[in-house]
Amino acid sequence: MAKKQIEGHDPYLHGVAAEFSDPDVLLAAAERTRTAGYTVMDAYTPFPVHGLDDAIGFREAKVQWSIFLAGLIGACAGLGLQYYTSVIDYPLNIGGRPLFSWTSFIPVTYECTILFAGITAFLSVLVFNGLPRPNHPVFNAPRFELASQDAFFLCIEAEDPKFDLKETEKFMKTLGADAVSVVRGDETQAEADGEGGH
């Protein structure tokens, strides 16, 4: 997603990040940030924090719907293939059993459902999360490596309609953070984002 570039502003500005040492403080800060009118933000934690998705306003369900639809397609494909081969293409009368003996079709239908859903789960997670992405501007935040250990980060991105560098940084300092820092991507990453349309 391309960063908004306003005249007089740093074109490599990603946002403002706040570091927290307690997940409850992060959760409260995320709720306050949402209440203050900020809508484009993300949180980075070493483990899932219950309620954080709702606090930052994360509502996307693309992965789940992709898996559900792929499962339906897999079930229809498995059942359809068996119906075609047993009823249309090569019907066999075995002991007076009906050609469409649906109960015997259940195992293959189930396996096709799981196969399609499983492959789609793997691919949709990669596609909808923009992976693989070896570098991200938020990696430039001071001490961000601790996000996978024992620190919690909240970042308001520059794409947010309400974002103003000075005001946002000032607001973040009122959230009880251990540290607040401006996050910028390097020139190489910004160019790559621009070329890739991210």
Side-chain angles (χ1 to χ4, degrees):
M1 192 178 291
K3 301 291 179 234
K4 68 178 183 181
Q5 295 193 11
I6 303 171
E7 188 176 348
H9 284 242
D10 184 349
Y12 307 125
L13 179 64
H14 177 70
V16 177
E19 178 187 345
F20 302 87
S21 55
D22 186 291
D24 294 329
V25 178
L26 167 68
L27 185 58
E31 290 169 348
R32 278 188 57 198
T33 302
R34 187 85 177 157
T35 303
Y38 291 98
T39 55
V40 183
M41 68 185 98
D42 209 343
Y44 307 88
T45 64
F47 54 81
V49 176
H50 181 68
L52 188 57
D53 288 353
D54 292 331
I56 65 172
F58 184 77
R59 293 282 185 273
E60 290 190 16
K62 293 178 183 175
V63 173
Q64 295 95 313
W65 277 108
S66 298
I67 295 169
F68 175 72
L69 293 175
L72 284 180
I73 292 169
C76 293
L79 187 62
L81 176 63
Q82 292 174 97
Y83 180 86
Y84 174 77
T85 56
S86 298
V87 178
I88 299 171
D89 188 48
Y90 199 68
L92 293 173
N93 185 346
I94 301 173
R97 187 182 69 183
L99 296 178
F100 182 59
S101 183
W102 67 269
T103 52
S104 63
F105 296 169
I106 290 176
V108 172
T109 302
Y110 171 77
E111 291 299 332
C112 286
T113 301
I114 299 303
L115 176 67
F116 279 54
I119 291 173
T120 301
F122 175 74
L123 294 177
S124 62
V125 165
L126 293 179
V127 170
F128 293 132
N129 286 302
L131 300 174
R133 186 171 185 178
N135 189 28
H136 189 281
V138 79
F139 295 168
N140 294 329
R143 296 166 40 91
F144 188 76
E145 65 278 2
L146 296 178
S148 62
Q149 299 172 35
D150 59 0
F152 304 83
F153 289 82
L154 179 67
C155 182
I156 299 176
E157 299 181 9
E159 295 173 6
D160 193 295
K162 190 178 177 180
F163 185 89
D164 174 86
L165 182 56
K166 290 181 181 178
E167 289 301 316
T168 303
E169 191 174 6
K170 185 176 168 184
F171 169 75
M172 295 286 271
K173 289 178 180 176
T174 68
L175 298 176
D178 298 333
V180 174
S181 58
V182 176
V183 180
R184 291 182 172 84
D186 57 50
E187 185 173 347
T188 306
Q189 180 63 33
E191 287 174 357
D193 284 349
E195 291 169 6
H198 294 294

